[in-house]
Amino acid sequence: MRSRSAGANKAAAVGSARRISRGTLHEEVAIRLRDMILVDELSPGQIIPEMQLCEEFGISRTPMREALKVLASENLVELLPGRGAVVVQPSADDVMGMLYAIGAIEGVAGQLACQFISPREFAEIQQLHDRMLAYHAAGDRLKYFDMNQRIHKKIVAASKNVFLIDLHDKLNMRSRRMRYVSNSQRQWWDQAIREHEQILAALERRDAEALSEQLRAHMMGSWKDVKGVLASDEANP
């Protein structure tokens, strides 16, 4: 009897571990929606077709609504009573403020990273950089962007400052689409690669002043690239 009971308990535990929790499901939906906003499958100002997406994702309305609440807390969508959720269309001032703020945070974090980064952490950033270069060479913009974002987050994480890491993460989430757009033209993309080469070299030298300046300038360059795109978005709501 004891053996059967133990076996049943083990089977129940395994079954429980394999189930997708309700919390995990809405988080996965939120990730899918963020990516759709990133690549303009859901464009600024567009009302999100909840029922259609529920059918495509094979989910009920509950995880969809929970996911939209998460995106609303990140200022990626706005919940409108009686109308559903609409993709936020940030103003030029908002985007400029976010990119400049991210540049300021990364500038300070870069200075701290030069003090505190470990050889292992630098090696991880180097590996991500090499993968990013490969995706750039292959013209894979989406995978390039993923590596790019991971590099920036790793540099900030190397600061070991929890407040800066948390603030950077929140602003970065809100600005993902515009940072993706900043590589939409080949010359912008190529320039970003050159800037990343300089960023990595400064970090390797532990040159805090140079790294801080390059990270700030990198975000200012992103703003310069996306201004025209924002003007087009606002002219064609």
Side-chain angles (χ1 to χ4, degrees), residues 100-112:
Y100 274 53
I102 290 170
I105 292 166
E106 290 189 359
V108 174
Q111 290 179 314
L112 294 171

Side-chain angles (χ1 to χ4, degrees), residues 216-228:
R216 288 188 176 95
H218 189 60
M219 285 300 107
M220 292 174 68
S222 293
W223 165 240
K224 180 180 177 182
D225 292 340
V226 303
K227 279 192 294 186

Side-chain angles (χ1 to χ4, degrees), residues 38 99 102 106 124-136 140-157 168 172 175-184 188-200 203 214-215 218-219 221-222 225:
L38 178 70
L99 294 178
I102 290 170
E106 290 189 359
E124 289 173 352
I125 292 172
Q126 177 71 68
Q127 291 171 0
L128 292 172
H129 179 80
D130 292 343
R131 291 171 67 186
M132 183 182 72
L133 293 181
Y135 289 133
H136 172 260
D140 192 329
R141 190 167 150 229
L142 194 57
K143 290 182 179 178
Y144 163 90
F145 181 74
D146 179 53
M147 292 300 108
N148 178 285
Q149 293 289 282
R150 290 169 66 180
I151 288 169
H152 283 273
K153 291 183 73 171
K154 284 276 189 183
I155 292 173
V156 175
H168 179 263
N172 209 44
S175 64
R176 281 180 84 236
R177 176 179 175 269
M178 297 319 303
R179 294 186 71 172
Y180 183 75
V181 165
S182 71
N183 295 317
S184 59
W188 298 350
W189 197 0
D190 292 345
Q191 177 60 27
I193 284 290
R194 290 190 288 270
E195 291 172 3
H196 263 270
E197 294 279 13
Q198 295 170 353
I199 287 167
L200 187 68
L203 182 59
Q214 285 160 4
L215 287 166
H218 189 60
M219 285 300 107
S222 293
D225 292 340

